[in-house]
Amino acid sequence: QGQVEESGGGLVEAGGSLRLSCRISGVTFEDSSWGWFRQAAGEQREGIACITSGGEIKQLQSVVKDRFTISRDNAKNTLFLQMNSLKPEDTATYYCAPVSSPYCTYVHPARNFDYWGQGTQVTVSS
């Protein structure tokens, strides 16, 4: 059974930066595209970033493009999200998950994924 553990969140002022990490275990991390998702209070979870298995393709949604960067270290089974120029609207709990699209065409969780982590809270003050 796979496990994910997100970390790196916190409270930051608008314009600040954070780097999130997601440590994956129990599954073959390097075989899949992975993504970052976030859920704000009262909202549905949304996919915001995706990276293919070898890191060749990176897809970022328009709301975070030019501010966030996704990367991965397959040797360490770890996924990263560098977040710069943070805005209050980025406040949410952030999660990682494998993505259903191998080429990051869509940032949707894999169909058989059922081991969401606790997430890491990001709060951006104005």
Side-chain angles (χ1 to χ4, degrees), residues 101-113:
S101 171
Y103 300 107
C104 290
T105 305
Y106 301 103
V107 190
H108 296 158
R111 285 184 180 274
N112 60 348
F113 179 69

Side-chain angles (χ1 to χ4, degrees), residues 84-101:
N84 299 327
S85 302
L86 282 161
K87 303 176 180 180
E89 50 263 44
D90 294 318
T91 295
T93 303
Y94 285 70
Y95 304 88
C96 62
V99 172
S100 59
S101 171

Side-chain angles (χ1 to χ4, degrees), residues 8 24 71 121:
I24 293 97
S71 61
Q121 177 67 36

Side-chain angles (χ1 to χ4, degrees), residues 1-123:
Q1 176 71 0
Q3 289 187 323
V4 299
E5 182 176 3
E6 301 93 348
S7 63
L11 173 63
V12 64
E13 292 184 349
S17 299
L18 286 171
R19 189 188 195 211
L20 306 185
S21 299
C22 173
R23 183 77 164 86
I24 293 97
S25 60
V27 295
T28 308
F29 173 65
E30 62 191 17
D31 284 352
S32 301
S33 297
W34 278 76
W36 283 98
F37 301 78
R38 69 184 184 186
Q39 187 169 19
E43 304 287 336
Q44 289 194 342
R45 187 152 41 199
E46 63 172 342
I48 58 168
C50 177
I51 185 168
T52 50
S53 58
E56 306 90 350
I57 298 173
K58 300 175 184 180
Q59 182 72 26
L60 291 142
Q61 301 298 74
S62 58
V63 291
V64 301
K65 202 171 185 178
D66 299 328
R67 299 188 297 122
F68 291 9
T69 303
I70 187 171
S71 61
R72 64 192 292 164
D73 185 338
N74 285 347
K76 296 182 178 180
N77 286 3
T78 305
L79 182 73
F80 301 101
L81 185 69
Q82 177 66 43
M83 305 188 297
N84 299 327
S85 302
L86 282 161
K87 303 176 180 180
E89 50 263 44
D90 294 318
T91 295
T93 303
Y94 285 70
Y95 304 88
C96 62
V99 172
S100 59
S101 171
Y103 300 107
C104 290
T105 305
Y106 301 103
V107 190
H108 296 158
R111 285 184 180 274
N112 60 348
F113 179 69
D114 63 357
Y115 50 95
W116 291 96
Q118 294 297 311
T120 186
Q121 177 67 36
V122 172
T123 304

